[in-house]
Amino acid sequence: MGQIPRSRRAQIQREATFIRMRGQREGFPLERIVTALRGTFPELSPLEAWRLALGWSRNQTIAQVAGLYIADGLRPPALSAAMLCRFEHGPDRPGPEYATMLARAYGAHLDQLGLRPRCVCGHGYGELRYGQPYEAHPGWAPVLLPGVELMTTSSGLPAVRESLRLALLDAPYGGPVVVELAEAAVEHYALNYSRHAPALLFDEVHGARGLLGDALASPVDPVTGNDLRRAAGWLSALLGNLAYHLADHSGARAHFAITVSLGERVGDARLTAWALGAQSMVARARLDLPAALAYAQAGLERASGPLVRAQLLGWAVLPSLAQLGQAAEAERVLSEATSTLAADPAGGAPGRFGFDAPELDLHESEAWLALGRTDRAATRAEASAAGCVLLTPGWAAATIVLAQTEAPARPGDAAARALDVLERIPPDRLRSTTRDRLRALVATLDSTDTAVVRDLHERVRTLPPPIDVYGRGATA
């Protein structure tokens, strides 16, 4: 029961049994027994109180849920006692499918279990962080009036490109309005990067950048030309990142190379520094670690301001040093990245080009994993997952890394955790980086022959590729 002392847990178990049996003798409805349990033990969540009111162990609950899936003609999920414990005590919250099945198993409504999605009507958007969309809280869902369709940003993406096209029709060689719309497009794509499947967003960013060609070739004046080159540079940076998340590393290298060139041409140190960090990321993927460290250090030399410096340290320098096995230097860089990020007045920035504590936690976790410090890796992966909104790419990445830390000692829990991610995240939204982490996890679990591990192996093996043989992105 979370951080409740062992003696307190035993007391709750004993007295819960007494309360349940007395309620059953007196013919109390289950809701009343739950109320009595929560009144006696305020630390009980509604989800746990209902289980105790039924007198079920977690394994019995799992068996009941599996039975419902079988009765529906479906394969039972990889729900484990550890996962159910996290649902009862946090930080995890069951997804819609698990929530529905738990409610059916317990004979309760979602709101009685504390699992009903909350409405965002009347609430502003929450602060943007790494890997997070605009939802203020995980699990919230919009409630709409009958006949009113929610305008999604997937519908809005073509509209952004269309606005830029209209401005260029009026001013084919650029001007203040074209520059403003190009910069607005970059901001929109960067801030909403994690909301879209990479293949969908790639097409939109590519289309927007292509619209700038004539204006870049013959700008109306040098200032406009410089501003448009800067916008094209940031769009190229987005294309490189999207290509990388689609496992197109050669394409990513090309896009990042032009990004560096444009950044240096217009004197945008932040753009140049970020692109060099991205080139370090691509070099690590092809296992050219000396080149990765050289790119990272070149980016660090151009970093201005605490946030950009923290980003280059945590995202580029730290992983390169860790994979090279330079533990002492990695520890020094991590310390500097942490203190430098803390010195940033805002404590981080949103969007694809931003950086914050959950992202640094993720990079730190993977660094410790590369250096063989599984204990420290697990702590930082947990912190990263907790700092991200549920079901976002950042959450998925941190959750799989956490599963990697669990694999040696608790292979069943690790496989179940990864299967939970695969149940919740559609294939088209699984970035290539998360797929790589899944494959690394499967390799670690290779010597374990259990049903849940075999299930994970098969699910990972049959994932559709990010880009198929016809050049199409994976579909949900």
Side-chain angles (χ1 to χ4, degrees):
M1 296 184 184
Q3 301 302 316
I4 302 172
R6 186 182 299 274
S7 59
R8 177 64 169 167
R9 292 203 301 268
Q11 179 190 6
I12 290 176
Q13 291 285 0
R14 288 194 302 271
E15 295 193 28
T17 301
F18 174 77
I19 292 170
R20 174 177 56 81
M21 294 179 66
R22 184 183 64 187
Q24 290 173 341
R25 280 198 309 270
E26 299 185 16
F28 291 166
L30 201 59
E31 293 90 335
R32 186 169 173 182
I33 298 175
V34 170
T35 300
L37 284 169
R38 298 200 69 205
T40 306
F41 305 109
E43 58 264 62
L44 288 179
S45 67
L47 188 60
E48 184 176 23
W50 274 83
R51 178 175 62 78
L52 293 177
L54 287 163
W56 293 355
S57 67
R58 291 196 179 101
N59 285 332
Q60 287 174 310
T61 294
I62 292 165
Q64 292 289 332
V65 169
L68 290 173
Y69 272 86
I70 293 170
D72 290 346
L74 301 171
R75 182 178 60 183
L79 182 63
S80 68
M83 288 171 63
L84 183 55
C85 180
R86 292 194 296 271
F87 293 161
E88 291 179 346
H89 302 291
D92 292 359
R93 178 182 172 89
E97 183 177 317
Y98 276 149
T100 299
M101 287 303 200
L102 286 167
R104 285 176 59 187
Y106 291 159
H109 298 296
L110 289 173
D111 52 358
Q112 290 176 311
L113 297 177
L115 299 179
R116 182 171 296 282
R118 296 161 290 225
C119 175
V120 297
C121 300
H123 291 270
Y125 290 135
E127 183 181 8
L128 283 167
R129 291 296 181 190
Y130 167 65
Q132 297 189 12
Y134 283 117
E135 290 91 343
H137 294 285
W140 281 19
V143 176
L144 304 174
L145 295 175
V148 177
E149 182 180 354
L150 179 65
M151 178 64 175
T152 66
T153 56
S154 293
S155 301
L157 276 175
V160 172
R161 177 165 46 88
E162 180 68 11
S163 293
L164 179 59
R165 189 182 74 85
L166 288 173
L168 283 160
L169 286 174
D170 187 53
Y173 300 108
V177 174
V178 173
V179 169
E180 182 178 358
L181 280 166
E183 291 174 348
V186 170
E187 180 181 12
H188 181 80
Y189 298 142
L191 289 177
N192 290 282
Y193 189 97
S194 293
R195 293 177 71 93
H196 305 291
L200 171 66
L201 187 56
F202 184 95
D203 288 344
E204 289 300 321
V205 177
H206 181 226
R209 190 183 67 166
L211 292 173
L212 300 178
D214 288 343
L216 280 169
S218 303
V220 293
D221 59 72
V223 173
T224 296
N226 207 58
D227 290 341
L228 289 176
R229 287 187 187 91
R230 178 180 290 105
W234 285 108
L235 290 169
S236 298
L238 286 166
L239 284 176
N241 218 162
L242 289 161
Y244 184 77
H245 284 149
L246 289 166
D248 179 10
H249 293 175
S250 59
R253 288 182 69 185
H255 296 307
F256 291 142
I258 191 61
T259 302
V260 172
S261 176
L262 288 170
E264 291 178 337
R265 171 82 178 271
V266 301
D268 190 332
R270 178 170 175 252
L271 175 59
T272 306
W274 189 93
L276 286 165
Q279 287 182 316
S280 174
M281 172 182 70
V282 176
R284 289 198 306 275
R286 64 176 189 269
L287 301 181
D288 188 351
L289 298 181
L293 186 57
Y295 279 128
Q297 291 170 337
L300 189 61
E301 289 171 3
R302 291 161 175 80
S304 59
L307 183 61
V308 180
R309 184 169 182 82
Q311 182 177 37
L312 266 294
L313 287 166
W315 169 46
V317 181
L318 174 64
S320 301
L321 290 171
Q323 290 185 33
L324 285 165
Q326 298 182 24
E329 187 63 11
E331 183 116 40
R332 184 196 66 76
V333 165
L334 173 61
S335 176
E336 183 182 351
T338 303
S339 60
T340 305
L341 179 60
D344 181 65
R352 176 70 307 188
F353 301 119
F355 191 70
D356 63 8
E359 184 175 1
L360 179 56
D361 286 334
L362 176 64
H363 297 312
E364 179 182 350
S365 176
E366 294 198 292
W368 291 128
L369 204 57
L371 292 167
R373 294 296 307 274
T374 307
D375 52 340
R376 296 180 73 170
T379 301
R380 300 329 305 159
E382 244 177 344
S384 181
C388 294
V389 168
L390 194 68
L391 307 186
T392 57
W395 170 84
T399 301
I400 298 302
V401 174
L402 181 57
Q404 288 178 300
T405 69
E406 293 174 323
R410 301 191 304 279
D413 285 350
R417 191 185 291 278
L419 282 168
D420 185 49
V421 171
L422 291 172
E423 289 290 338
R424 299 186 188 201
I425 308 294
D428 66 324
R429 291 179 178 270
L430 275 177
R431 295 175 178 172
S432 65
T433 46
T434 297
R435 293 163 179 261
D436 290 341
R437 293 177 179 108
L438 281 164
R439 284 189 284 269
L441 173 62
V442 167
T444 303
L445 296 171
D446 193 49
S447 61
T448 302
D449 186 19
T450 63
V452 66
V453 171
R454 289 195 298 271
D455 193 12
L456 175 63
H457 189 282
E458 183 64 14
R459 289 290 299 276
V460 172
R461 187 186 68 81
T462 57
L463 273 175
I467 303 174
D468 67 16
V469 293
Y470 300 106
R472 298 174 302 203
T475 57

